[in-house]
C-alpha cells in the first residue's frame, strides 16, 4: 500500500486552521459591529431625551423636588413666562393706543363732515346731536352717573332692615353718630383732622352756594347773606360705591322758615344737587300716643308737651288712644291742661300697633297731617319737631330718628346725694345712656304714606315687632328712609316688666332691652364685681393701718 508524504498533510492542516481563524475573525467583527450599533443607538436615545423640551409633568417634578437646580430651572421658566406675558401686554397696549388714535381721527373726520354738511344745509334729521360739542369732561360725566345711582333724590328697594345706611348728625362743633362699640362715644368732637376739615369744608361750600349770584332773594329786602351762625344742623352718610351725601339746614327769614341744601361728594369735589326754601309754618304735627294706665308717666309727658308744643311750637295736635277703663277719668283731668287734643278710648287689650293705627286713621281733616308716633316715656324738644318736619316729605321721605335712651338714674347718680331733675339728666354722654339703634317705634311720616303703605299689622298684640314690620314695608318701597341720631329725642328710663304671656321670642327681646337699659358696660361691671371691689378696698384699708 502506498503512503502519502508529510508535506501535503501539513498543507491541508494549515488550510483548515486558516479557515477557522477567518470564521472566528468574521464572528468577532460581527459582534463588535453589533456592539457599536447598540452603543450608537443608546447615544442617539440619550441625545433625544436630553434635547426634548421639558413637559408639564417634568415641571411639576422640578417644583416638588426641592433641589437647588430644580428651583433655578423653575424660576427660569417663570421668568420666561413673565417676559412672554410682558411682551404680549406691551403689544396689546400699542394696539389699544393705535385704535384710540384711529378713533380720534375718525371722530375728527366725522365732525368735519358734519360741519360741512351743516354749512351746506344738508344735515339729515336726527344727526344734530352728533354735532354738539361736549361741554363736560369725562370725569364730570362720571360724577353725574354716580349721583344718579346714589340714594339722594329717591329711595331704593333694600333687602332687610340692616341694609339702611344711617346718617350722622352734625353741627359746627359736634358730631352725633351711632355707637358701633363699647369704646365709642355717642357725641364727640371730630378728633381726626380729615373728618373735621371735611365737615368745615362742606359748610363753607354750602355758604358759598347760598351766597352765590343766582340764589334765593327776597324781593322786598333784597338778597340775604348767610353766615356760619345761620347753620342749624346737617346729616351725612356715605354710600361705599357712590359717594357722600350732605343735607344741611340753615335759618330762614322767619322762625318757621328754613333753607335746605343738599350736596353730594362722589369721591371727588362736592356737587350741588338742589337748593330750596322749606316753609314749615303750616306743617301740623299730630302726635299719637297709645296708653294704658301709667298715669304718672302720662303727667310727665303732658308737662313736656305743654312746654314744647304749646308754649314754643304751637303747631301740634295730640291724639291719645287709651286702652281700658281704669284711670280714664284721671287721664281726662290731665288732658284738660291742654286744648288741641283727641282722646280715643278702646275697651280691649293693649296693643301699641292697634293704638297707633286707630289714632292715625281717626284724623278727619282734609289736611295731609304729619304723624309722629310716640310713647308716653319719650321726652322731645322743639328742635326735634323741626327735624321731624324737615326730614319727612309726602311720597318721598319718612323719618326714623334714633333716640338717646337714658340709663337708670339711681345707678348713674349713685354717688350723689340727690338725683338731678329731668332737664339736668338729658345729657348725651357715654355714662348717661346710649343710642337706641335697634328701636324703630318713634317715627315721623305723613298720613298719606302710612295709609298707602298698609299701616301696622293689626293682628299683633301687646309689645314688639309691629314697628319693625312697618319699617320693613318702607324699605321695600321707593320712599327714602331717613335714619339718623336725634339730639332732641330722649327715652326716659322706667322699670320694664316683661309679661309671662309673651311668646319666647318676644320675651327674649324684652329681656335684652331691659338689660341694655339699666346701665353702661362699666357700671354693670362695678355692680357685678361689687363684692370683690369692697374686699379690695377693705384690704387696702387694713394695709394702710399697718
Amino acid at each position: 500500500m502506498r503512503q502519502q508524504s508529510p508535506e501535503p498533510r501539513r498543507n491541508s492542516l494549515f488550510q483548515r486552521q486558516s479557515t477557522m481563524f477567518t470564521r472566528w475573525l468574521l464572528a468577532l467583527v460581527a459582534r463588535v459591529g453589533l456592539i457599536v450599533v447598540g452603543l450608537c443607538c443608546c447615544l442617539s436615545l440619550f441625545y433625544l431625551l436630553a434635547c426634548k423640551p421639558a413637559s408639564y409633568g417634568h415641571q411639576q417634578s422640578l417644583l416638588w423636588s426641592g433641589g437647588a437646580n430644580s428651583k433655578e430651572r423653575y424660576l427660569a421658566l417663570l421668568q420666561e413666562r413673565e417676559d412672554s406675558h410682558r411682551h404680549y401686554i406691551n403689544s396689546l397696549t400699542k394696539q389699544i393706543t393705535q385704535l384710540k388714535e384711529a378713533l380720534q381721527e375718525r371722530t375728527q373726520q366725522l365732525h368735519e363732515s358734519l360741519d360741512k354738511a351743516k354749512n351746506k344745509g344738508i344735515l339729515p334729521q336726527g344727526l344734530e346731536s352728533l354735532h354738539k360739542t361736549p361741554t363736560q369732561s369725562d370725569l364730570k360725566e362720571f360724577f353725574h352717573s354716580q349721583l344718579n345711582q346714589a340714594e339722594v333724590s329717591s329711595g331704593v328697594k333694600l333687602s332687610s332692615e340692616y341694609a339702611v345706611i344711617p346718617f350722622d348728625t352734625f353741627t359746627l362743633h359736634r358730631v352725633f353718630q351711632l355707637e358701633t362699640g363699647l369704646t365709642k362715644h355717642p357725641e364727640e368732637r371730630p378728633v381726626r383732622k380729615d373728618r373735621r376739615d371735611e365737615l368745615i369744608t362742606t359748610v363753607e361750600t354750602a355758604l358759598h352756594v347760598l351766597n352765590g349770584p343766582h340764589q334765593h332773594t327776597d324781593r322786598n329786602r333784597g338778597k340775604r347773606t348767610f353766615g356760619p351762625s345761620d347753620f342749624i344742623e346737617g346729616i351725612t352718610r356715605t354710600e361705599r360705591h357712590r359717594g357722600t351725601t350732605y343735607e344741611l339746614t340753615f335759618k330762614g327769614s322767619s322762625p318757621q322758615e328754613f333753607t335746605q341744601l343738599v350736596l353730594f361728594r362722589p369721591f371727588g369735589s362736592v356737587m350741588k344737587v338742589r337748593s330750596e326754601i322749606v316753609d314749615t309754618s303750616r306743617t301740623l304735627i299730630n302726635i299719637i300716643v297709645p296708653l294704658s294706665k301709667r298715669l304718672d308717666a302720662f303727667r310727665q309727658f303732658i308737662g313736656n308737651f305743654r312746654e314744647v308744643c304749646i308754649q314754643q311750637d304751637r303747631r301740634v295736635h295730640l291724639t291719645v288712644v287709651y286702652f281700658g277703663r281704669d284711670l280714664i277719668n284721671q287721664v281726662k283731668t290731665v288732658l284738660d291742661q291742654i286744648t288741641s287734643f283727641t282722646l280715643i278710648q278702646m275697651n280691649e287689650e293693649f296693643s301699641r300697633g292697634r293704638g297707633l293705627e286707630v289714632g292715625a286713621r281717626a284724623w278727619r281733616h282734609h289736611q295731609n297731617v304729619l304723624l309722629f308716633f310716640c310713647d308716653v316715656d319719650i321726652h322731645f324738644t322743639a328742635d326735634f319737631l323741626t327735624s321731624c318736619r324737615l326730614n319727612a316729605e309726602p311720597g318721598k321721605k319718612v323719618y326714623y330718628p334714633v333716640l338717646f335712651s337714658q340709663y337708670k338714674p339711681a345707678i348713674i347718680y349713685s354717688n350723689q346725694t340727690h338725683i338731678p331733675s329731668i332737664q339736668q339728666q338729658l345729657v348725651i354722654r357715654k355714662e348717661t345712656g346710649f343710642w337706641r339703634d335697634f328701636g324703630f317705634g318713634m317715627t315721623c311720616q305723613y298720613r298719606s304714606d302710612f295709609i298707602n303703605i298698609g299701616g301696622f299689622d293689626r293682628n299683633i298684640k301687646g309689645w314688639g315687632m309691629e314697628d319693625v314690620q312697618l319699617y320693613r314695608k318702607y324699605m321695600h318701597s321707593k320712599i327714602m328712609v331717613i335714619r339718623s341720631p336725634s339730639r332732641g329725642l330722649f327715652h326716659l328710663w322706667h322699670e320694664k316688666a316683661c309679661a309671662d304671656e309673651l311668646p319666647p321670642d318676644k320675651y327674649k327681646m324684652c329681656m335684652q332691652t331691659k338689660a341694655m337699659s339699666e346701665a353702661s358696660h362699666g357700671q354693670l361691671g362695678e355692680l357685678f364685681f361689687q363684692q370683690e371691689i369692697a374686699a379690695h378696698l377693705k384690704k387696702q384699708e387694713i394695709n394702710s393701718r399697718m
Side-chain angles (χ1 to χ4, degrees), residues 94 127 167 199 253 329 363 368 404 408 415 463:
K94 291 181 181 179
L127 297 181
F167 285 80
L199 298 178
S253 56
N329 293 327
W363 185 260
N368 185 20
F404 192 76
K408 187 175 183 179
N415 57 346
W463 179 89

Side-chain angles (χ1 to χ4, degrees), residues 332-442:
K332 292 180 180 179
T333 302
V334 175
L335 284 174
D336 288 339
Q337 303 177 27
I338 60 177
T339 54
S340 180
F341 72 91
T342 300
L343 175 62
I344 303 174
Q345 185 179 0
M346 306 285 292
N347 294 323
E348 56 186 72
E349 182 184 356
F350 176 80
S351 171
R352 183 179 185 274
R354 168 73 170 156
L356 295 175
E357 180 88 18
V358 171
R361 295 182 182 274
W363 185 260
R364 300 304 180 193
H365 302 277
H366 296 292
Q367 182 182 2
N368 185 20
V369 68
L370 177 59
L371 305 176
F372 170 38
F373 296 150
C374 188
D375 288 340
V376 71
D377 46 24
I378 296 298
H379 187 284
F380 56 88
T381 65
D383 290 335
F384 167 74
L385 297 179
T386 298
S387 300
C388 183
R389 292 184 175 97
L390 294 175
N391 291 317
E393 188 174 354
K396 294 184 177 180
K397 295 189 298 183
V398 293
Y399 183 39
Y400 273 86
V402 181
L403 52 82
F404 192 76
S405 188
Q406 182 188 36
Y407 289 138
K408 187 175 183 179
I411 298 178
I412 300 174
Y413 307 103
S414 59
N415 57 346
Q416 300 185 16
T417 306
H418 300 286
I419 297 179
S421 63
I422 295 296
Q423 294 294 335
Q424 294 174 333
Q425 294 179 22
L426 301 180
V427 180
I428 299 178
R429 290 203 310 266
K430 182 180 179 181
E431 297 78 15
T432 60
F434 64 99
W435 292 115
R436 191 182 283 259
D437 57 339
F438 54 84
F440 307 96
M442 309 311 121

Side-chain angles (χ1 to χ4, degrees), residues 151-158 160-161 163-167 235 237 247 391-393 395-402 439-440 442-445 453 470-484:
E151 191 178 5
V152 176
S153 300
S154 62
V156 297
K157 295 183 178 180
L158 301 175
S160 67
E161 59 268 32
V164 173
I165 302 175
F167 285 80
I235 58 176
R237 71 175 177 182
E247 294 189 20
N391 291 317
E393 188 174 354
K396 294 184 177 180
K397 295 189 298 183
V398 293
Y399 183 39
Y400 273 86
V402 181
F440 307 96
M442 309 311 121
T443 172
C444 295
Q445 52 192 265
I453 207 71
L470 178 64
Y471 184 69
R472 289 173 177 171
K473 288 182 180 180
Y474 281 113
M475 285 189 306
H476 296 157
S477 71
K478 291 187 177 181
I479 296 180
M480 185 186 302
V481 176
I482 303 296
R483 179 84 168 149
S484 67

Side-chain angles (χ1 to χ4, degrees), residues 10-290:
R10 191 179 297 114
N11 291 335
S12 176
L13 179 63
F14 177 77
Q15 289 178 356
R16 288 196 300 269
Q17 291 177 352
S18 176
T19 301
M20 292 176 61
F21 178 77
T22 301
R23 291 177 178 175
W24 176 83
L25 183 60
L26 289 175
L28 179 63
V29 170
R31 292 177 180 178
V32 171
L34 291 174
I35 293 174
V36 171
V37 172
L39 289 175
C40 290
C41 292
C42 292
L43 291 175
S44 300
L45 182 61
F46 289 151
Y47 177 78
L48 291 175
L49 291 175
C51 295
K52 182 181 179 181
S55 63
Y56 178 76
H58 182 60
Q59 293 179 16
Q60 281 190 329
S61 64
L62 291 177
L63 175 64
W64 291 102
S65 62
N69 294 332
S70 299
K71 184 177 181 180
E72 292 177 358
R73 290 182 182 180
Y74 182 67
L75 293 176
L77 288 173
L78 288 179
Q79 184 64 37
E80 183 179 355
R81 292 285 182 88
E82 184 178 353
D83 293 339
S84 176
H85 286 302
R86 186 181 296 110
H87 291 314
Y88 182 70
I89 292 173
N90 291 336
S91 176
L92 290 178
T93 303
K94 291 181 181 179
Q95 294 180 28
I96 292 173
T97 303
Q98 293 173 359
L99 290 174
K100 285 183 177 180
E101 293 175 354
L103 180 61
Q104 291 177 357
E105 182 179 357
R106 293 290 185 182
T107 303
Q108 184 65 27
Q109 293 176 0
L110 177 61
H111 281 295
E112 292 176 357
S113 300
L114 291 174
D115 286 333
K116 293 179 181 179
K118 183 180 180 181
N119 294 333
K120 294 180 181 181
I122 58 175
L123 185 65
Q125 285 186 342
L127 297 181
E128 294 84 2
S129 60
L130 296 176
H131 183 265
K132 184 179 179 180
T133 303
T135 58
Q136 297 175 337
S137 63
D138 294 339
L139 182 61
K140 194 170 184 179
E141 292 178 358
F142 169 74
F143 286 167
H144 279 284
S145 66
Q146 294 291 89
L147 174 61
N148 294 332
Q149 297 176 12
E151 191 178 5
V152 176
S153 300
S154 62
V156 297
K157 295 183 178 180
L158 301 175
S159 57
S160 67
E161 59 268 32
Y162 304 103
V164 173
I165 302 175
F167 285 80
D168 290 342
T169 305
F170 67 96
T171 63
L172 288 176
H173 306 290
R174 291 283 192 275
V175 176
F176 303 86
Q177 56 190 4
L178 291 182
E179 188 174 343
T180 56
L182 295 174
T183 61
K184 297 292 183 180
H185 292 275
E187 177 197 37
E188 67 175 14
R189 294 178 182 271
V191 179
R192 287 174 43 188
K193 185 178 184 300
D194 56 344
R195 178 64 167 166
R196 183 170 62 252
D197 293 344
E198 172 198 358
L199 298 178
I200 293 176
T201 303
T202 302
V203 176
E204 292 177 350
T205 303
L207 292 174
H208 177 74
V209 171
L210 293 176
N211 295 326
H214 302 293
Q215 298 306 313
H216 309 292
T217 57
D218 191 324
R219 296 179 180 178
N220 298 327
R221 292 175 292 179
K223 184 179 182 298
R224 173 181 178 160
T225 301
F226 291 86
S229 59
D230 295 318
F231 175 65
I232 300 175
E233 71 172 10
I235 58 176
T236 176
R237 71 175 177 182
T238 299
E239 295 182 64
R240 183 177 301 173
H241 302 296
R242 296 178 179 89
T244 303
T245 304
Y246 306 90
E247 294 189 20
L248 300 97
T249 302
F250 294 82
K251 296 178 182 178
S253 56
S254 66
Q256 289 80 34
E257 187 179 278
F258 305 88
T259 297
Q260 275 192 324
L261 185 65
V262 179
L263 303 175
F264 182 68
R265 186 194 301 275
F267 302 118
S269 57
V270 177
M271 296 176 59
K272 174 187 173 182
V273 177
R274 64 178 180 270
S275 178
E276 58 185 354
I277 299 296
V278 181
D279 186 2
T280 63
S281 59
R282 297 183 178 180
T283 304
L284 179 67
I285 298 179
N286 182 17
I287 301 180
I288 304 177
V289 180

